[in-house]
Amino acid sequence: QVQLVESGGGLVQPGGSLRLSCAVSGNIFRVTYMGWYRQAPGKQRELVAAITNDGTTNYAESVKGRFSISRDTAKNTGYLQMNSLKPEDTAVYYCKINTYRSPVDYWGQGAQVTVSS
């Protein structure tokens, strides 16, 4: 029932920008948490940024000052704005939510971000 659809990934040159979107649908009642995670080949999945229902944000040290997480509650959509991209940002990016109704994690399908010349 709950579905997360990601979009906005692609190829960008170093120093460029991308904005990822995570559209949420289904019987969720209320999103209490949204996070963006990334996983590069051979590496652990890591938290990039997160936002709670009160607007509190959290960022990985490696992306502070470059990435910004936000949400549009009217559209049930979360965003990750990525600026000043570096080759080491290359990874598959996943959004995840938690809801008031259930303690389970819901994951998006992943969006490939490649930063290369």
Side-chain angles (χ1 to χ4, degrees), residues 19 22-25 71-79:
R19 188 180 77 161
C22 179
V24 180
S25 63
R71 72 206 204 282
D72 185 335
T73 55
K75 296 180 179 180
N76 287 327
T77 301
Y79 305 95

Side-chain angles (χ1 to χ4, degrees), residues 10-117:
L11 174 66
V12 66
Q13 296 199 7
S17 297
L18 286 173
R19 188 180 77 161
L20 301 180
S21 298
C22 179
V24 180
S25 63
N27 188 22
I28 57 172
F29 181 63
R30 187 171 73 210
V31 176
T32 58
Y33 170 97
M34 175 173 280
W36 287 94
Y37 300 75
R38 67 186 180 189
Q39 187 167 26
K43 298 189 184 305
Q44 297 279 324
R45 194 123 110 191
E46 63 176 349
L47 175 68
V48 177
I51 187 167
T52 58
N53 62 169
D54 68 351
T56 301
T57 57
N58 184 45
Y59 297 93
E61 191 66 30
S62 60
V63 307
K64 282 184 177 178
R66 300 190 296 119
F67 291 11
S68 180
I69 188 171
S70 62
R71 72 206 204 282
D72 185 335
T73 55
K75 296 180 179 180
N76 287 327
T77 301
Y79 305 95
L80 183 68
Q81 178 67 46
M82 303 182 291
N83 299 322
S84 302
L85 283 161
K86 304 174 180 179
E88 50 264 44
D89 295 318
T90 296
V92 178
Y93 285 71
Y94 300 88
C95 62
K96 189 202 80 171
I97 64 165
N98 297 109
T99 72
Y100 179 81
R101 283 190 168 184
S102 175
V104 306
D105 299 330
Y106 298 98
W107 290 91
Q109 83 280 7
Q112 177 69 51
V113 172
T114 302
V115 185
S116 176
S117 299

